[in-house]
């Protein structure tokens, strides 16, 4: 066998765990700039090359994790694939339950989307649209969840447990999106610098909030598939357009506002029971005895 059958990470100090996370995040973001095309980030050639880069990084990241791991046969040691949430048991529940939970949270935006779906026609740009869809809805969600959740949480978990991990881990995910500031400034078409910085700060905040939710899903289910599927769904939905409610008539706007509130309240009530570790056979990310 090329690597130990069972490993653990409890031997690492907190500083070493943070160092491992920084290294993983740095390698992923650096891979995006490995190609110097001089083209915008959404140009098909740039997108294709970045897809290759992040897929290579996803192959290297587990090896970095192995380097930081310690071989063991103890009762808290598991195969690396199990730490990474790459399990086949309870797979259907792990994919469906978190998605339903997230859809409950997005009840308002989903209803709004259906209302807006009247007679809008989509312009077809086959190649450009397909490659952007591949990046936004498949590659980016998988690569980000694999790096920022599956590879970082195993080293953070022994020190932080559930609450600490949900607070600390999203910081790396939020900071990783700051690189968009550089791209926006370099491709600035006249937007004020302050506007670009505020936009990036807003992106940092909401990606950090999503990162916390995604960490929670990963640690509660012990599966990677739930966070990936939810990330795909959230990328498709985008950030809720609260201001868009005002474009409708009074009664429709009031109905929409109610659906937004009901979705949020229902989500809060369902969060714990729907992510109960027992539903997913999760014995990895449970309180250390």
């Amino acid at each position: 066998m090329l690597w130990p059958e069972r490993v653990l990470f409890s031997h690492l100090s907190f500083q070493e765990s943070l160092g491992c996370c920084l290294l993983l995040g740095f390698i992923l973001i650096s891979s995006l700039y490995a190609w110097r095309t001089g083209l915008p980030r959404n140009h098909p050639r740039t997108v294709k090359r970045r897809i290759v880069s992040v897929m290579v990084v996803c192959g290297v990241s587990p090896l970095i994790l192995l380097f930081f791991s310690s071989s063991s046969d103890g009762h808290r040691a598991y195969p690396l694939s199990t730490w990474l949430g790459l399990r086949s048991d309870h797979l259907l529940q792990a994919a469906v339950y978190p998605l339903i939970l997230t859809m409950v949270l997005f009840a308002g935006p989903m209803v709004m989307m259906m209302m807006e779906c009247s007679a809008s026609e989509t312009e077809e740009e086959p190649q450009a649209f397909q490659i952007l869809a591949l990046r936004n809805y498949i590659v980016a969600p998988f690569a980000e969840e694999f790096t920022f959740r599956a590879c970082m949480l195993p080293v953070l978990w022994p020190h932080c447990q559930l609450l600490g991990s949900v607070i600390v881990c999203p910081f790396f995910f939020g900071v990783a999106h700051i690189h968009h500031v550089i791209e926006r400034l370099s491709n600035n078409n006249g937007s004020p610098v302050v506007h670009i910085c505020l936009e990036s700060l807003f992106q940092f905040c909401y990606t950090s909030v999503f990162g916390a939710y995604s960490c929670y899903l990963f640690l509660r289910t012990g599966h990677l598939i739930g966070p990936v599927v939810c990330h795909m769904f959230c990328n498709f939905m985008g950030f809720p357009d609260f201001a868009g409610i005002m474009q409708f008539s009074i009664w429709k706007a009031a109905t929409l506002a109610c659906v937004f509130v009901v979705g949020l309240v229902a989500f809060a009530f369902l969060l714990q029971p729907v992510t109960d570790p027992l539903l997913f056979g999760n014995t990895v990310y449970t309180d250390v005895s």
Side-chain angles (χ1 to χ4, degrees):
M1 207 171 174
L2 294 176
W3 51 74
E5 189 175 345
R6 294 160 70 86
V7 297
L8 46 72
F9 302 92
S10 53
H11 65 287
L12 295 173
S13 68
F14 184 53
Q15 290 77 10
E16 288 171 331
S17 299
L18 292 179
C20 178
C21 293
L22 283 170
L23 178 62
L24 289 165
F26 175 76
I27 290 174
L28 181 68
I29 301 306
S30 298
S31 73
L32 300 178
Y33 297 94
W35 310 93
R36 301 211 171 258
T37 61
L39 298 169
R41 67 184 296 266
N42 288 333
H43 190 282
R45 192 183 303 169
T46 304
V47 175
K48 287 175 187 175
R49 291 181 175 182
R50 287 186 169 186
I51 286 175
V52 172
S53 295
V54 297
M55 287 297 99
V56 170
V57 171
C58 286
V60 171
S61 294
L63 301 179
I64 294 172
L65 209 57
L66 272 176
F67 175 80
F68 281 89
S69 72
S70 174
S71 175
S72 173
D73 291 323
H75 76 289
R76 297 301 304 186
Y78 296 93
L80 182 63
S81 58
T82 304
W83 283 110
L84 294 171
L86 302 175
R87 298 163 43 208
S88 56
D89 62 290
H90 301 83
L91 191 63
L92 184 60
Q93 298 97 305
V96 174
Y97 292 179
L99 178 59
I100 292 173
L101 182 65
T102 310
M103 290 175 77
V104 168
L105 178 62
F106 275 79
M110 287 171 68
V111 172
M112 184 187 290
M113 183 181 282
M114 286 188 281
M115 287 180 172
E116 291 173 336
C117 248
S118 41
S120 57
E121 294 181 5
T122 356
E123 292 180 9
E124 293 198 6
E125 297 175 54
Q127 224 175 359
F129 175 77
Q130 286 168 16
I131 195 67
L132 287 176
L134 177 65
R135 179 194 69 186
N136 296 340
Y137 306 132
I138 297 177
V139 177
F142 172 77
E144 290 178 356
E145 293 305 317
F146 186 74
T147 303
F148 291 100
R149 252 62 76 183
C151 291
M152 290 189 183
L153 286 170
V155 298
L156 290 174
W157 170 255
H159 299 283
C160 302
Q161 297 295 286
L162 179 64
L163 181 59
S165 298
V166 166
I167 293 171
V168 175
C169 195
F171 175 76
F172 296 101
F173 184 57
V175 168
H177 286 78
I178 298 286
H179 76 96
H180 290 307
V181 180
I182 303 166
E183 291 187 333
R184 286 173 184 145
L185 288 173
S186 60
N187 298 314
N188 191 0
N189 54 358
S191 299
V193 175
V194 176
H195 177 74
I196 292 174
C197 291
L198 286 175
E199 193 178 55
S200 299
L201 179 62
F202 175 69
Q203 188 179 27
F204 167 77
C205 292
Y206 79 71
T207 50
S208 296
V209 170
F210 172 78
Y213 173 54
S214 187
C215 286
Y216 185 83
L217 290 178
F218 183 88
L219 294 174
R220 293 278 286 174
T221 65
H223 274 274
L224 175 63
I225 190 167
V228 170
V229 169
C230 292
H231 196 146
M232 291 174 176
F233 174 75
C234 290
N235 276 10
F236 173 74
M237 292 299 299
F239 190 80
D241 181 17
F242 299 108
I245 295 176
M246 305 313 296
Q247 70 181 306
F248 297 98
S249 61
I250 295 177
W251 74 268
K252 280 187 177 180
T255 304
L256 264 177
C258 287
V259 176
F260 268 85
V261 173
V262 169
L264 180 60
V265 172
F267 171 80
F269 274 103
L270 293 171
L271 181 60
Q272 279 201 301
V274 171
T275 60
D276 188 332
L278 292 175
L279 295 173
F280 311 97
N282 176 22
T283 58
V284 183
Y285 296 101
T286 52
D287 292 337
V288 177
S289 54

